Amino acid sequence: MSRASSGLSPRILSATIPVAFVVIVAGPNLPNPLLPLYGRTLGLDPADLSIVYSSFLITLTATLAVMARPRLQSRPGAALVAALLMAVVADVVLSLATHPALIVGRALNGISLGLGTGAAASLALALRGERARTIAATGTIVGAVVGSIFAVTLAQFGPAPLLAGYAIHAAVTCAALIAVIVGLIRWPRSSWALDRQVAVNTAIPHDLPARWTGYLMGSLAWISGGIIVALVPLAISQDLNTTSLLIAGLGTIALLVFANIGQFSVGGRSIRHMSALAMICMGAGVVVIAASVAGGLVPFVVVGCAFVGFGQGAGYRLGLRIASAGLTPRLQGGRASVYAGISYAACALFVIASGELATRVGLTNGLWIVAAVLTPLFVVAASTASRRARKRVPQHS
């Protein structure tokens, strides 16, 4: 391989990895805006839809736990290729549009994202250095907004709402798969500096909160977002008595748009102060949503979702930064998997419980109970995030 070619290949792969990860993340988000339509078409209640939503999180958590093993972290290229292949299979299954197919397809989505999260985190940090430290968090939010807005727009205005989105996503995923394979072939595995420490910052920032606070922040970010995606569209549909997926999905769209604003607002600002602000925004947003659903004030439901979204985007990215500070690329992949796994597992358990609760006591009462349970947790997270931890020892190994 020529010197010019060897220099170009890592740059091409460096650009391809984030795009491929966003494509992987977009897949599990395609069914989310369609949940009200699936509910009407297949006769599913909130408890059924919560299980559909959470089946993805359950297999995702299990896959992340497996992929966190050090031996598997040494083959991120193969894991990323497998993740893209699994995403295509999931699209095919979901396009069948039956209740069992929804559960199986979502489960396959979870395996795909579980394979891709740590792989993308390791490769990106090895290729791009410290600026790619939070790619797993950034890609998760960007992929979510791309997948959700694409799905709801196509379902509202395009043909075959339960088929077209999956077909297009499968085609795009195949293109990303080819690009990744070409990049991996042209950039030999022997050049992957997974244990290097020269291009990443292994110093621990002086104002970092305790590491466990990062995991709490990530869990709360996903729990609050999961509640909105799983339950708020149903609440809006009932309040307005509408079958429009676009209107029902306004809360989800607001959540995801402001999540992107939140994560890109972090910048070089104080980690502790921004972390506390993120938790406060999520806590306030959850209360506003519950009160607005009770009062039938749909515009304020959307405002509450925007508050939660800003806090979720900033909080999830900062949580990963807190949990993984000072790690080398190889360790980063494992830590990103553990961080995501804990966050997703917490979300799955909470969403399933909330869906069952909403089925028994109604959406309005269910959301009030959810707000009452979450608010003290947000207070704890905001309080601990604003405190500086005792000095950490960097982990290299």
Side-chain angles (χ1 to χ4, degrees):
M1 186 182 297
S2 69
R3 181 174 299 179
S5 176
S6 63
L8 180 62
S9 296
R11 288 199 297 271
I12 293 175
L13 190 59
S14 176
T16 303
I17 297 301
V19 174
F21 185 60
V22 167
V23 170
I24 290 171
V25 175
N29 285 278
L30 293 177
N32 292 342
L34 304 178
L35 290 179
L37 180 58
Y38 282 124
R40 293 193 300 270
T41 304
L42 303 177
L44 307 179
D45 61 26
D48 294 325
L49 293 175
S50 296
I51 292 174
V52 168
Y53 178 82
S54 299
S55 60
F56 147 72
L57 297 171
I58 293 170
T59 55
L60 170 57
T61 302
T63 306
L64 287 168
V66 173
M67 294 305 295
R69 298 171 62 185
R71 183 171 62 86
L72 295 177
Q73 294 170 32
S74 64
R75 303 186 63 85
L80 187 60
V81 169
L84 290 163
L85 286 170
M86 190 64 69
V88 174
V89 176
D91 285 331
V92 173
V93 175
L94 286 167
S95 66
L96 299 177
T98 65
H99 189 193
L102 278 179
I103 295 176
V104 173
R106 292 283 288 168
L108 293 174
N109 279 150
I111 297 173
S112 171
L113 185 54
L115 290 169
T117 298
S122 290
L123 288 172
L125 192 60
L127 281 160
R128 308 179 73 180
E130 187 66 26
R131 60 198 174 107
R133 172 76 64 185
T134 57
I135 187 175
T138 302
T140 297
I141 302 298
V142 173
V145 71
V146 169
S148 297
I149 292 179
F150 169 74
V152 74
T153 302
L154 190 64
Q156 186 68 41
F157 302 109
L162 300 182
L163 173 62
Y166 302 121
I168 294 173
H169 181 261
V172 173
T173 305
C174 287
L177 174 62
I178 293 171
V180 168
I181 291 174
V182 170
L184 292 172
I185 291 173
R186 293 177 60 86
W187 191 45
R189 183 169 176 261
S190 59
S191 64
W192 298 0
L194 296 180
D195 291 310
R196 71 178 180 178
Q197 298 171 12
V198 293
V200 297
N201 180 10
T202 53
I204 305 296
H206 73 281
D207 67 339
L208 214 61
R211 196 182 297 277
W212 67 266
T213 303
Y215 291 111
L216 177 60
M217 288 168 57
S219 298
L220 289 174
W222 262 90
I223 287 172
S224 57
I227 292 298
I228 289 176
V229 171
L231 298 182
V232 168
L234 299 176
I236 293 178
S237 296
Q238 288 183 7
D239 280 345
L240 295 183
N241 193 26
T242 180
T243 60
S244 171
L245 291 177
L246 185 60
I247 294 176
L250 287 175
T252 300
I253 292 172
L255 167 81
L256 296 171
V257 168
F258 278 85
N260 275 276
I261 294 173
Q263 71 165 335
F264 291 118
S265 298
V266 172
R269 294 176 175 83
S270 167
I271 295 176
R272 291 185 293 126
H273 295 161
M274 282 299 295
S275 297
L277 176 62
M279 297 301 103
I280 292 171
C281 285
M282 283 194 286
V286 168
V287 173
V288 169
I289 290 169
S292 301
V293 168
L297 304 172
V298 173
F300 288 96
V301 174
V302 177
V303 171
C305 292
F307 269 94
V308 172
F310 182 89
Q312 183 194 37
Y316 191 69
R317 181 175 180 178
L318 287 166
L320 178 57
R321 188 173 172 186
I322 292 168
S324 67
L327 301 185
T328 60
R330 186 188 300 276
L331 293 177
Q332 177 73 15
R335 183 60 55 82
S337 294
V338 171
Y339 175 78
I342 291 173
S343 301
Y344 298 148
C347 179
L349 293 173
F350 207 92
V351 168
I352 290 174
S354 299
E356 184 64 32
L357 181 66
T359 299
R360 293 177 179 273
V361 304
L363 278 170
T364 299
N365 292 332
L367 287 171
W368 270 122
I369 295 173
V370 166
V373 172
L374 288 180
T375 298
L377 296 176
F378 287 122
V379 172
V380 170
S383 176
T384 57
S386 63
R387 300 174 190 167
R388 184 179 304 165
R390 286 178 291 182
K391 185 174 179 61
R392 294 193 203 168
V393 177
Q395 300 176 38
H396 301 312
S397 118

